[in-house]
Amino acid sequence: MIPMWRIKGLDPHQDTPVKILHVILLGFVKYFWCDTMLRLNKVQKAELQVQLASFNVTGLGIPLLTGHMLVQYAGSLTGQDFHAIFQAAPFMLYDLVPHPCYEALLALSALIPLIWKPCIENLEEHLVCMN
């Protein structure tokens, strides 16, 4: 048996930190984006590249999107790239992917900003909304 498992009070399921970057952005967000790119044909990819490059990022706190890089190198992007993509993607992929994929994209796009929220300002109100 591994010595770590003998530590009294250790619950590896609760005591192991989950890294948002690796689990969320470089996990299922990355694979969702790569799957989306596999679904698109050349014409759709070209259209998406133009849409990404022309997306107005004012007020989002992210750099300009480089459409060619984000589409061409979908499997080699960084967490920062995926964070930016999923702020813009709902506006661009609505007519390029099947409806169930688009619904999943909307859910991920709503989830990502919530994960980086450092604190809940009004906990009681938040708990009411969650129920």
Side-chain angles (χ1 to χ4, degrees):
M1 182 194 275
I2 299 172
M4 182 176 80
W5 301 129
R6 287 187 237 144
I7 299 173
K8 290 185 185 241
L10 175 69
D11 180 356
H13 302 291
Q14 291 189 2
D15 299 333
T16 304
V18 175
K19 301 289 185 183
I20 295 170
L21 170 66
H22 293 101
V23 173
I24 307 294
L25 292 180
L26 298 178
F28 54 83
V29 169
K30 174 182 178 176
Y31 292 107
F32 187 92
W33 183 250
C34 290
D35 181 64
T36 301
M37 293 304 104
L38 290 173
R39 292 175 178 270
L40 302 180
N41 61 39
K42 283 186 175 187
V43 172
Q44 290 172 318
K45 285 181 181 179
E47 178 183 339
L48 181 59
Q49 286 177 9
V50 171
Q51 289 177 342
L52 285 166
S54 62
F55 187 73
N56 184 355
V57 296
T58 305
L60 294 178
I62 59 175
L64 291 173
L65 302 176
T66 51
H68 175 74
M69 182 195 73
L70 297 175
V71 172
Q72 183 72 27
Y73 303 107
S76 302
L77 301 176
T78 66
Q80 183 179 4
D81 295 326
F82 291 118
H83 191 262
I85 287 169
F86 273 76
Q87 291 185 59
F91 303 103
M92 293 162 210
L93 293 177
Y94 63 92
D95 62 346
L96 295 176
V97 297
H99 186 70
C101 291
Y102 185 68
E103 291 294 321
L105 172 89
L106 290 178
L108 280 174
S109 294
L111 175 68
I112 291 170
L114 296 175
I115 294 171
W116 272 270
K117 183 99 173 136
C119 67
I120 299 172
E121 295 165 2
N122 187 341
L123 183 60
E124 290 79 23
E125 183 179 323
H126 175 74
L127 291 173
V128 170
C129 290
M130 294 304 291
N131 291 328

